[in-house]
Amino acid sequence: YRWAGLDPANGNPMGYLNGAVSNNWAAITGNQASLTDDMRYIGTQFPLFSGSMGNEISYKAFTISARVSFKFNYYFKRESINYSTLMQTLSGHSDYHNRWQVSGDEKNTSIPSFSYPLNSARDAFYNSSEILVEKGDHIRLQYVNISYSFNPQKTPFKKLQLYGVVNNLGIIWRANKQNLDPEFPGIRPSISYSIGTNISF
């Protein structure tokens, strides 16, 4: 839904209904909203360009390899506060702390005020509005692998290699300004470490 900002009087989210600014959220999220006047097409949620590339460097018995992936030209919707969910499950979002509280806050935040009684249509409009859409373009360092190969003449094996791998090292660059991971907008993936051996008899 198109976003018209927060009402400076009460912090209510505002959208458009038949081309006019409105806070009739039930009508906007129902079947009265116009595709051309009240909604906005931003782009695809699937990357139009994606790929990966890696490199390997060896020096004597040591080998280091790494892989970088990229996804470009797509969008994702970030998570935010849903007051109905907050009151029903006591599970909220950190955006709550940055919500509108007094007149003038609308200049610095797009997070609606807490309003009671709850209005599910109000939450539905805000959580489906264009204000929560971000560019998903990013470049990610997928893994780094370091290995050491022993001289086969000094072992009883044809090949003996020890290796260590670090996965999910994180994003090198992202287009969104919220410091979010487009593939994990809620919880950041944890870095994983593993060690192992390759043995050939």
Side-chain angles (χ1 to χ4, degrees):
Y1 301 108
R2 289 179 59 201
W3 178 255
L6 298 177
D7 189 328
N10 50 30
N12 281 333
M14 298 184 296
Y16 290 87
L17 185 62
N18 298 319
V21 175
S22 173
N23 61 3
N24 188 346
W25 310 295
I28 296 174
T29 58
N31 57 7
Q32 298 181 41
S34 166
L35 284 173
T36 56
D37 296 329
D38 309 326
M39 298 184 183
R40 179 186 170 204
Y41 176 75
I42 297 176
T44 176
Q45 65 175 328
F46 302 105
L48 297 182
F49 304 100
S50 62
S52 65
M53 53 187 168
N55 198 9
E56 183 175 285
I57 299 174
S58 296
Y59 177 73
K60 294 184 178 179
F62 288 95
T63 300
I64 300 177
S65 60
R67 180 161 295 276
V68 172
S69 65
F70 58 87
K71 294 182 178 180
F72 296 140
N73 204 358
Y74 79 109
Y75 297 83
F76 74 101
K77 187 167 69 69
R78 61 182 173 89
E79 298 178 353
S80 188
I81 190 68
N82 184 308
Y83 292 113
S84 297
T85 301
L86 173 63
M87 296 304 291
Q88 292 169 7
T89 66
L90 300 181
S91 176
H93 190 278
S94 59
D95 278 356
Y96 177 83
H97 298 290
N98 297 318
R99 70 193 184 282
W100 185 100
Q101 297 184 66
V102 297
S103 182
D105 284 352
E106 68 279 357
K107 299 176 182 177
N108 303 309
T109 185
S110 59
I111 302 166
S113 60
F114 176 77
S115 177
Y116 194 86
L118 300 173
N119 188 317
S120 59
R122 180 182 192 256
D123 288 328
F125 164 73
Y126 170 64
N127 282 279
S128 296
S129 67
E130 64 177 319
I131 196 66
L132 296 181
V133 176
E134 304 284 349
K135 284 188 66 67
D137 302 30
H138 69 279
I139 301 174
R140 180 188 305 277
L141 179 57
Q142 288 186 303
Y143 70 82
V144 173
N145 184 315
I146 301 176
S147 62
Y148 179 84
S149 297
F150 290 89
N151 188 332
Q153 297 178 351
K154 297 182 180 181
T155 71
F157 310 106
K158 291 182 178 179
K159 178 182 179 181
L160 175 59
Q161 183 186 64
L162 299 179
Y163 66 87
V165 184
V166 185
N167 287 294
N168 298 327
L169 284 167
I171 292 180
I172 301 173
W173 172 86
R174 74 197 84 199
N176 76 82
K177 306 302 181 183
Q178 304 289 331
N179 199 34
L180 295 174
D181 187 330
E183 295 182 324
F184 305 92
I187 301 175
R188 293 182 181 180
S190 58
I191 297 175
S192 64
Y193 305 87
S194 60
I195 58 174
T197 60
N198 284 324
I199 300 175
S200 296
F201 294 93

